[in-house]
Amino acid sequence: MSEKNEYDLLYAKSLEEPEKFWGSQAKDLEWLKPPKKVMSESIDSSRVWFPDGETNLSYLCIDQHIKNGFGDETAIIYDSAVQNKVEKFTYNEVLDKVSRLAGGLQKLGVKKGDTVIIYMPMIPQAVFSILACARIGAIHSVVFGGFAPNELALRIDDARPKVVISATVGIEVNKIIPYVPILKKAIEKASHKPEAAILYDRKVENTPLSDISFVDYHKLQEESTPAAPVSLKADHPSYILYTSGTTGKPKGVVRDTGGYAVALNFSMKYIYGVKPGDVFWAASDVGWVVGHSYIVYAPMIYRATTVLYEGKPVKTPDPGAFWRIISQHKVNVMFTAPTAFRAIKKEDPSGKFLHKYDISTLRFQFLAGERCDESTLKWSQKMLKIPVVDHWWQTESGWPIASNFMGLEPHKTKTGSAGKAVPGYFLTIVDEKGREVGANQEGYVCLKPPMPPGFALTLWGNNERFVKSYFTRFKGYYFSGDSGYVDEDGYIFITGRVDDVINVAGHRLSTASMEEAIALHPAVAECAVVAKQDRLKGELPIAMVVLKPESQKEVDTIEQQLTQKVRESVGPIASLKEVVVVLRLPKTRSGKVLRRILRTLVNGKSYQVPSTIEDPAVIPEIVECLKKSN
Ligand code: COA
Ligand code: AMP
């Protein structure tokens, strides 16, 4: 047997002696009240970590560094390719902005435990808003800017925010997205009405700040007294982050405070191989979990300068955008989704733009958010000539579950694998009946509780749904929703979702919410949305629609209206462009739509007619419709 390496030892220790392991990791953090106890008893398959410890995420991200003499170092680099500007903020400057905004929130009546929705583009004020909430113990819920009013309204009704914070506009490639009408529509649609809406004026175009129903962000910040960080119990909810499930109603994943900070701190050191003072760049959006954990909290807690990038990998202005940023800001460790590299590779396959820049500061490139195909992985390895690490995680986990470990002796890379299980996670593959399977056998990717620190506490206001969604299908396990296998050396391969969640350009979306939007069209009798593989975005939604008999003649117009409907209801990021009219959908005898066979058909794969199908003749009918639509 080969000798155990650093990873094996650390991993074994994390599972054999979790209390000792995480207790020692917690000592690396500065607590407002250090915990005496490491774990509580397990409640509903989750566990409270550091139950008697107290801390504050805003304190950890800002005040502790100032106290330790780093106040004049750069905390945030804001690089806006869409505005062609760069702004830098030291910890002292961030403290001033965040503590005043926190004071402003208090002035508006926001207290510990209240919720605040943040609907903002990638601007520093989004980060300040997040940290201002954390400072006073308000629970933030950031909603990604690409979601439409309907999705925002769903989140407002579930989170019931006291206050909403937004900005006048978002800036996309060559276009301005006015946020005010979206926000107003969402608030109108929602049954819950926030007490106030704070608006940050980007001064990009004339926007209705004169509208008295908005509180001016600038004024509120300038005229408020700075608020001190509130000492919070480790299990105080820091945020709610909505993610897509198998229904149209998003799931509000609730994150704790102390366990999250310990996990993120651990990950920066061991997984990402970051050193305090390094420059860390996660090219994602604050609206996703990657943004929460690796644009805001982890780098800031660990005292790595974080880059906040407002732009795209291509077209802002060219496929050299990423390399320009790495070179200009001397980025040491970077994180993005494979889609971003696919987009760059498509426009600049030979790396002409890359060769214009000196990116020698970059030590490691991390990829996550979707499956990384072999050609993208190989291309990035060839271009960057540094370790390219595919790693796997979810909104629910808040930090990686599988990875390679740049802060330890790294493993050799196996193409297609997202690495090995992260310390603290017992990952296993089970079959349909919930029995653990052997090496290289594909099945359902599960985790055996207890979950490590930082893992979702519950779903907001709905612990029953939490237990039902994750812990019921396979008794004794958390089910991730993904399929995959583990090879004989412990390498994990994630092969895709097995539920109705779709991954479009690294964005996790629900096909059910798109179906709900389509079903509202008066011409539609029924529909099913499934994932079609796409060379750029990984997956794209395709809608299979059965029209009512009286609407059969207006097919072209209806198709256009349906794509528009999804855009208006879910948002432009859904990227639903393909609608195929079919005569009927494949169903079981009890009337359940057989989506799996539809997925196989739209991807042109060989298929077996499911034994549960009511009428097998529907399959060739659909194949014919797909042929005609191509
Ligand atoms: N606010 C408003 N609209 C947004 C938005 C936001 N924050 N983000 C995207 N959109 C809109 C876009 O403008 C576009 O609208 P359009 O249909 O009118 O052109 C639509 O949503 C689709 O956007 P996007 O998915 O960004 O597609 P694209 O074709 O413009 O760009 C890529 C393709 C690959 C460059 C882009 O998807 C990308 O950068 N992907 C990486 C994603 C990523 O980092 N994910 C992180 C998860 S970890
Ligand atoms: P999200 O919750 O938005 O982070 O999306 C999580 C989902 O994205 C996972 O359940 C996977 O389906 C997918 N995913 C994330 N990272 C990877 C990866 N490295 N390889 C394959 N799929 C991934």
Side-chain angles (χ1 to χ4, degrees):
M1 211 178 110
S2 67
E3 220 176 279
K4 288 203 160 152
N5 66 16
E6 272 185 309
Y7 161 78
D8 294 321
L9 295 170
L10 198 71
Y11 182 69
K13 201 167 166 208
S14 77
L15 295 192
E16 283 157 16
E17 298 179 287
E19 198 139 8
K20 220 164 150 189
F21 182 85
W22 290 112
S24 131
Q25 295 306 328
K27 292 206 171 87
D28 281 354
L29 269 194
E30 218 181 287
W31 294 78
L32 293 171
K33 181 174 168 235
K36 291 206 175 76
K37 217 170 161 193
V38 175
M39 333 155 79
S40 73
E41 287 314 304
S42 164
I43 318 158
D44 282 339
S45 312
S46 52
R47 180 179 286 280
V48 174
W49 288 94
F50 317 109
D52 59 349
E54 289 186 18
T55 187
N56 181 292
L57 290 172
S58 179
Y59 172 83
L60 290 174
C61 290
I62 316 168
D63 308 57
Q64 67 153 340
H65 305 313
I66 296 173
K67 201 180 100 190
N68 295 333
F70 299 102
D72 288 327
E73 301 222 336
T74 306
I76 302 171
I77 300 173
Y78 166 53
D79 187 308
S80 174
V82 289
Q83 285 200 298
N84 208 4
K85 76 170 179 194
V86 172
E87 277 179 72
K88 295 185 182 179
F89 301 88
T90 63
Y91 289 100
N92 284 327
E93 287 164 340
V94 176
L95 176 67
D96 181 60
K97 300 201 182 295
V98 168
S99 58
R100 283 180 188 281
L101 184 60
L105 287 172
Q106 282 176 331
K107 217 157 67 178
L108 293 175
V110 179
K111 294 184 298 298
K112 176 178 152 190
D114 284 341
T115 53
V116 173
I117 279 197
I118 300 172
Y119 183 67
M120 287 180 122
M122 284 287 286
I123 54 176
Q125 290 67 28
V127 180
F128 302 153
S129 301
I130 287 173
L131 294 173
C133 289
R135 198 163 187 85
I136 58 171
I139 304 160
H140 60 76
S141 186
V142 184
V143 179
F144 176 62
F147 280 123
N150 181 51
E151 292 288 323
L152 181 56
L154 285 172
R155 287 153 175 81
I156 291 176
D157 272 340
D158 197 72
R160 305 182 64 77
K162 184 142 198 172
V163 166
V164 177
I165 313 179
S166 191
T168 44
V169 296
I171 308 173
E172 280 291 294
V173 185
N174 301 327
K175 66 179 172 234
I176 304 281
I177 315 274
Y179 274 32
V180 176
I182 301 177
L183 188 63
K184 282 192 162 173
K185 230 180 187 169
I187 294 176
E188 242 166 61
K189 205 166 181 319
S191 328
H192 172 82
K193 307 292 173 199
E195 286 173 23
I198 304 170
L199 195 67
Y200 175 75
D201 185 2
R202 293 192 74 182
K203 303 204 177 354
V204 167
E205 60 173 20
N206 284 336
T207 35
L209 252 194
S210 53
D211 188 327
I212 45 143
S213 61
F214 285 110
V215 175
D216 179 8
Y217 178 106
H218 281 289
K219 255 174 113 181
L220 184 73
Q221 190 180 55
E222 270 155 36
E223 292 170 6
S224 300
T225 323
V230 173
S231 190
L232 300 166
K233 285 249 185 251
D235 67 342
H236 179 77
S238 54
Y239 63 79
I240 309 163
L241 181 55
Y242 287 90
T243 188
S244 301
T246 50
T247 68
K249 191 174 184 295
K251 297 179 187 168
V253 168
V254 178
R255 190 82 55 218
D256 68 338
T257 295
Y260 186 48
V262 171
L264 294 182
N265 207 47
F266 172 84
S267 72
M268 289 305 269
K269 182 171 173 186
Y270 292 104
I271 298 178
Y272 295 102
V274 176
K275 295 193 241 19
D278 273 352
V279 180
F280 187 87
W281 176 28
S284 177
D285 188 288
V286 285
W288 305 111
V289 67
V290 177
H292 282 63
S293 295
Y294 293 103
I295 294 175
V296 185
Y297 287 121
M300 293 195 75
I301 291 173
Y302 203 67
R303 197 172 53 76
T305 301
T306 186
V307 179
L308 183 75
Y309 174 58
E310 188 182 28
K312 301 267 170 178
V314 292
K315 299 193 171 64
T316 55
D318 57 41
F322 275 20
W323 323 131
R324 195 252 317 147
I325 289 182
I326 296 170
S327 149
Q328 188 171 339
H329 305 307
K330 301 195 172 20
V331 173
N332 302 113
V333 180
M334 187 193 168
F335 181 155
T336 191
T339 304
F341 276 4
R342 284 198 293 271
I344 298 172
K345 179 173 154 229
K346 192 171 160 209
E347 294 200 9
D348 182 23
S350 61
K352 281 207 283 285
F353 283 86
L354 170 64
H355 300 132
K356 288 193 204 168
Y357 298 96
D358 172 8
I359 60 157
S360 58
T361 52
L362 193 67
R363 298 198 299 269
F364 313 120
Q365 174 66 56
F366 282 82
L367 296 174
E370 56 177 329
R371 210 179 72 77
C372 182
D373 54 287
E374 187 173 340
S375 91
T376 306
L377 181 76
K378 294 252 156 83
W379 181 83
S380 10
Q381 286 168 333
K382 188 171 140 207
M383 289 293 145
L384 301 175
K385 301 184 178 67
I386 53 165
V388 178
V389 184
D390 180 8
H391 64 328
W392 173 70
W393 51 299
Q394 313 185 292
T395 305
E396 289 82 348
S397 66
W399 64 293
I401 307 172
S403 188
N404 205 334
F405 301 86
M406 295 301 114
L408 293 167
E409 194 187 314
H411 300 121
K412 74 177 190 343
T413 305
K414 283 200 191 182
T415 305
S417 166
K420 297 192 179 187
V422 166
Y425 286 100
F426 185 101
L427 185 145
T428 188
I429 310 290
V430 304
D431 66 12
E432 197 66 53
K433 295 213 163 97
R435 295 172 301 210
E436 289 187 21
V437 300
N440 295 309
Q441 282 189 54
E442 190 165 348
Y444 302 93
V445 183
C446 288
L447 303 171
K448 207 169 187 173
M451 300 311 187
F455 203 90
L457 281 184
T458 181
L459 294 181
W460 183 247
N462 201 343
N463 198 55
E464 206 179 307
R465 187 175 181 202
F466 181 63
V467 175
K468 194 161 169 251
S469 307
Y470 302 110
F471 295 96
T472 309
R473 177 144 179 208
F474 301 112
K475 210 170 163 25
Y477 298 97
Y478 163 89
F479 174 41
S480 65
D482 282 328
S483 56
Y485 62 94
V486 181
D487 77 2
E488 59 288 349
D489 300 320
Y491 282 80
I492 296 155
F493 294 76
I494 302 294
T495 49
R497 294 289 302 194
V498 292
D499 52 13
D500 299 325
V501 165
I502 176 170
N503 198 318
V504 183
H507 304 138
R508 176 170 159 184
L509 300 168
S510 146
T511 52
S513 62
M514 298 183 216
E515 288 174 5
E516 279 175 18
I518 292 172
L520 287 176
H521 193 289
V524 172
E526 46 181 357
C527 71
V529 174
V530 294
K532 184 175 175 182
Q533 276 150 25
D534 181 74
R535 288 177 75 130
L536 174 66
K537 296 196 176 181
E539 289 181 346
L540 276 178
I542 164 168
M544 320 285 272
V545 178
V546 180
L547 296 181
K548 289 182 184 157
E550 65 274 18
S551 309
Q552 301 289 346
K553 286 201 190 105
E554 312 144 47
V555 173
D556 285 349
T557 336
I558 294 171
E559 283 178 0
Q560 277 171 18
Q561 286 169 348
L562 293 179
T563 54
Q564 190 54 27
K565 243 188 150 29
V566 170
R567 200 181 162 85
E568 279 164 14
S569 177
V570 180
I573 40 153
S575 306
L576 182 117
K577 302 253 155 63
E578 218 178 323
V579 176
V580 179
V581 174
V582 294
L583 302 174
R584 47 197 180 136
L585 294 171
K587 288 187 183 166
T588 61
R589 280 168 209 100
S590 58
K592 194 168 173 279
V593 175
L594 289 159
R595 286 184 171 73
R596 194 183 290 183
I597 183 74
L598 283 177
R599 271 204 296 269
T600 311
L601 296 178
V602 300
N603 288 304
K605 293 195 178 145
S606 61
Y607 61 88
Q608 269 191 329
V609 178
S611 57
T612 49
I613 200 164
E614 188 185 22
D615 181 3
V618 70
I619 304 284
E621 264 174 40
I622 291 178
V623 172
E624 210 38 49
C625 292
L626 283 166
K627 263 196 212 146
K628 271 195 217 144
S629 86
N630 276 335

